Amino acid sequence: PTRRQFGIGVGTAAVVPPALAAGGKVVVVGGAGFVGTEISHLLATQGVKVVSVSRRSAAAQAQKVQYEQFVDFVSLDASKDDLSNVFKGASAVISCVGVAPGQKNQLDGNGAVNERIADAAKKAKVGRLVYISVASAISEGTGKLLFADYVKGKAQAEAAVQRNYGGGSSL
């Protein structure tokens, strides 16, 4: 498949810190989704050991992510399964979990599950949590009305990230 090129951060190219490339483990929750596969691929191409967590089977995840030699695939449901073992020893957790606008259960599918991920990462003493969200960008004006539960769920998740990791952890 054709890969889209993007950078992590606002207007910056993605540069992986040497500590991660030298053996650190990054857990990408939602690693088989639209954004998660791109992040897993980006990190893997830079030599980072990635653990992709998804409700999909390991085989289904492997079909979506290239550079499988750098990626381990774990099948878990982040909304209810124990995340402690997969987070153990991770340098960072990146959460790409979310329910798209228009799908059912947007509040819990964006809020409660990401709050659970943030709490589990903190409990596992993961040094950094990155949460991918567009809620801040669409929470004003008509976006707030059109995507009410979506925005509320994302805001709930952003509050959990802030509580556990302080500012600067949401993209």
Side-chain angles (χ1 to χ4, degrees):
T2 303
R3 291 267 168 212
R4 293 164 299 284
Q5 191 64 21
F6 69 95
I8 296 175
V10 178
T12 61
V15 177
V16 174
L20 288 179
K25 171 177 98 170
V26 175
V27 179
V28 180
V29 186
F34 180 73
V35 174
T37 56
E38 297 300 322
I39 290 173
S40 295
H41 176 80
L42 178 67
L43 292 171
T45 61
Q46 295 186 42
V48 176
K49 184 65 179 166
V50 176
V51 177
S52 172
V53 176
S54 174
R55 291 177 296 188
R56 296 179 183 167
S57 70
Q61 291 181 65
Q63 289 178 339
K64 294 191 76 174
V65 180
Q66 296 174 355
Y67 296 92
E68 289 85 9
Q69 69 270 28
F70 293 108
V71 183
D72 289 332
F73 301 101
V74 176
S75 182
L76 288 175
D77 184 339
S79 70
K80 61 182 178 184
D81 292 334
D82 183 6
L83 300 169
S84 59
N85 285 336
V86 74
F87 287 176
K88 185 178 181 180
S91 301
V93 169
I94 301 174
S95 179
C96 306
V97 174
V99 175
Q103 295 181 348
K104 65 183 217 180
N105 202 14
Q106 293 176 53
L107 185 59
D108 286 341
N110 289 303
V113 66
N114 282 297
E115 186 170 14
R116 192 170 189 280
I117 291 166
D119 292 346
K122 186 67 172 182
K123 187 175 180 182
K125 297 182 173 50
V126 176
R128 173 168 251 177
L129 172 71
V130 177
Y131 172 61
I132 308 298
S133 177
V134 298
S136 298
I138 66 168
S139 64
E140 298 300 321
T142 57
K144 187 175 187 176
L145 299 173
L146 293 172
F147 307 117
D149 282 348
Y150 177 85
V151 171
K152 287 177 191 172
K154 292 289 189 176
Q156 178 183 344
E158 289 176 5
V161 172
Q162 179 73 23
R163 180 180 68 246
N164 285 302
Y165 285 90
S169 295
S170 293
L171 292 177

